[in-house]
Amino acid sequence: MVGLLMSCGGLRDIHIGNSVHAWILRRKVCGISLVLSNALLDMYVKCGDLVLARKIFDASLEKDIVSWNTVIAGYVKVGEVEVAHGLFDEMPIRDLVSWNSIIAGYAQRGNLPTLMDIFNGMIFHKVVPDKFTIVSLICSAAKAGALGQGRWIHGWIVRRQMKLDAFLGSALVDMYCKCGGIEAALVVFQTITVKDVTLWTSMIAGFASHGYGKQALEYFCKMQENLKPNQVTFVAILTACSHNGMVDQGLRIFNTMKENYGIEPGVEHYGCLIDLLARGGKLSEAKRVIDNMPIKPSRSIWGAMLNASRAHGNVEMAEAASMEVLKLEPEKEGSYVLLSNIYASYGNWSHSNRIRETMGNRGLQKTVGFSKLVADGREIR
């Protein structure tokens, strides 16, 4: 029964899992032992049915740390971090997995202050963090743009002499790049002796976001001396080409994806290609690519066309792109506002007012702008 439930959980097949559960209840196979109860918990958690998982957990007369960790991880997985934290507080005994689960939950939300409080509690209880703990902290700092906290975490790694491998290094490089510390990211990158694809991709993406297109291309070439780029790497390098106006290089890289690397371009890669051509003023070529794409254009693709058309003053192309965006997201006000502003900038007030009226008829309002500061990981608006 345990083997069957593990298989159902691995396949995310709740229908067969329910059948196995019913078979166990009908025949009372060896009773519902702790091992069998934990297997049922794990299966329902992996299949996303937290209601049944919680019923089994609450009904279990015997629970061990695996039982607690399984249900806590399940609530974290579906974003119910407060429920998970409540269970975490009730646990009679906690281990590293327990602490990592609750830290990962708050990291997903980017709640850095709470995260640091929990981390300090973990240290107080003499639980030694591992690299998964630290990566959660680093990712949360990156999401919050909290460079100070990110540096503190990096310092903690150095003081504790934790081995800085490619896994930790990738998180640090990504954090420094997102927080504006491209030089520090490069130092971390160069410190790591064994680099994997993720680490190279993080560094290339960092160069791309900071406008260092030539360096991104240089590292893309260096990477291929030992490793093959993956799909994410191509998104990073194409973004670098797009942001730096390197149209020819970007086209060449896109065209070699399938032939040289066996990677079928996805919607993200086509989005980068459209953005590359549109930013370079090649709007007709970009539209031709959209028309001949083997996959359906996404909102981001039409959005790239819309923004580029506006920047280059092509009202006709902007109108066409805007209409496509509105078909995909009729409930979002952003495209209406942008199209109305395009008409207004060219003195076409009748069309601009008509778009505004359409927004009003659909109950849409322009989102009020606000400023936001982040101080010590806390947002101030």
Side-chain angles (χ1 to χ4, degrees):
M1 294 300 102
V2 170
L4 280 170
L5 290 169
M6 288 175 64
S7 299
C8 293
L11 294 168
R12 309 294 190 266
D13 194 330
I14 195 169
H15 300 295
I16 297 180
N18 283 333
S19 299
V20 174
H21 188 188
W23 194 93
I24 292 169
L25 293 175
R26 285 197 303 271
R27 288 163 177 77
K28 299 182 180 178
V29 178
C30 305
I32 303 292
S33 65
L34 177 60
V35 173
L36 198 53
S37 174
N38 284 344
L40 280 165
L41 263 179
D42 183 67
M43 184 274 293
Y44 280 120
V45 164
K46 285 180 177 175
C47 292
D49 193 334
L50 266 296
V51 174
L52 279 175
R54 187 61 186 268
K55 284 182 179 179
I56 293 167
F57 177 79
D58 291 339
S60 299
L61 299 177
E62 185 183 5
K63 302 181 182 74
D64 63 3
I65 198 164
V66 175
S67 316
W68 287 93
N69 285 341
T70 301
V71 74
I72 286 171
Y75 279 114
V76 167
K77 182 181 176 183
V78 298
E80 295 186 30
V81 184
E82 288 80 7
V83 179
H85 202 164
L87 288 168
F88 176 81
D89 290 337
E90 292 177 24
M91 289 183 76
I93 300 174
R94 305 183 188 109
D95 63 2
L96 179 60
V97 175
S98 317
W99 288 96
N100 278 351
S101 290
I102 203 69
I103 284 174
Y106 283 106
Q108 289 171 10
R109 289 190 172 184
N111 192 333
L112 190 56
T114 303
L115 203 57
M116 295 307 298
D117 289 342
I118 295 171
F119 178 71
N120 289 329
M122 183 181 187
I123 301 299
F124 177 80
H125 286 88
K126 295 182 171 32
V127 179
V128 180
D130 64 2
K131 61 183 179 181
F132 297 102
T133 318
I134 303 304
V135 165
S136 291
L137 295 173
I138 295 169
C139 292
S140 185
K143 188 179 290 186
L147 181 59
Q149 293 285 5
R151 282 177 173 160
W152 184 89
I153 297 163
H154 188 186
W156 189 93
I157 294 170
V158 174
R159 289 192 300 274
R160 296 301 176 97
Q161 297 181 339
M162 183 177 282
K163 183 182 178 183
L164 193 60
D165 58 8
F167 180 65
L168 269 176
S170 299
L172 280 171
V173 167
D174 180 66
M175 181 275 296
Y176 277 123
C177 289
K178 287 179 177 176
C179 295
I182 187 70
E183 295 84 4
L186 191 54
V187 170
V188 172
F189 177 84
Q190 292 171 343
T191 303
I192 299 165
T193 52
V194 181
K195 302 175 177 66
D196 62 6
V197 175
T198 304
L199 180 58
W200 281 98
T201 301
S202 296
M203 195 67 246
I204 292 168
F207 283 132
S209 63
H210 284 262
Y212 297 125
K214 290 183 179 179
Q215 289 86 338
L217 277 174
E218 178 188 345
Y219 275 64
F220 180 70
C221 294
K222 281 184 181 179
M223 171 189 178
Q224 295 176 69
E225 294 174 5
N226 299 302
L227 295 166
K228 282 188 176 182
N230 61 18
Q231 292 181 332
V232 183
T233 314
F234 278 104
V235 171
I237 191 60
L238 288 171
T239 300
C241 293
S242 175
H243 289 180
N244 290 274
M246 299 185 295
V247 178
D248 294 336
Q249 295 93 324
L251 280 171
R252 186 171 64 252
I253 290 170
F254 182 88
N255 291 330
T256 59
M257 281 182 61
K258 186 174 181 180
E259 183 179 347
N260 294 3
Y261 304 95
I263 296 176
E264 191 73 40
V267 67
E268 300 88 356
H269 304 106
Y270 276 104
C272 291
L273 178 62
I274 301 304
D275 191 54
L276 173 75
L277 293 170
R279 281 174 183 254
K282 300 179 182 294
L283 296 175
S284 299
E285 291 183 32
K287 181 63 167 58
R288 196 178 306 119
V289 171
I290 293 176
D291 292 338
N292 294 298
M293 280 173 56
I295 49 183
K296 186 178 180 180
S298 65
R299 189 261 178 235
S300 60
I301 287 178
W302 285 114
M305 275 294 293
L306 175 57
N307 289 321
S309 300
R310 182 191 182 192
H312 290 281
N314 192 324
V315 180
E316 183 180 349
M317 195 74 78
E319 186 177 23
S322 180
M323 293 304 175
E324 294 296 335
V325 173
L326 294 177
K327 288 179 185 177
L328 295 171
E329 294 182 345
E331 74 287 351
K332 299 288 181 69
E333 79 283 353
S335 298
Y336 292 95
V337 174
L338 186 55
L339 182 59
S340 175
N341 291 341
I342 291 171
Y343 283 134
S345 64
Y346 286 91
N348 196 337
W349 297 105
S350 60
H351 282 68
S352 177
N353 292 334
R354 180 167 52 82
I355 296 297
R356 297 281 180 170
E357 288 175 7
T358 303
M359 284 181 62
N361 293 337
R362 296 190 177 185
L364 301 175
Q365 291 184 340
K366 182 180 178 181
T367 303
V368 178
F370 62 88
S371 299
K372 179 175 73 173
L373 296 175
V374 178
D376 297 325
R378 288 180 168 84
E379 290 186 1
I380 305 170
R381 297 192 181 191

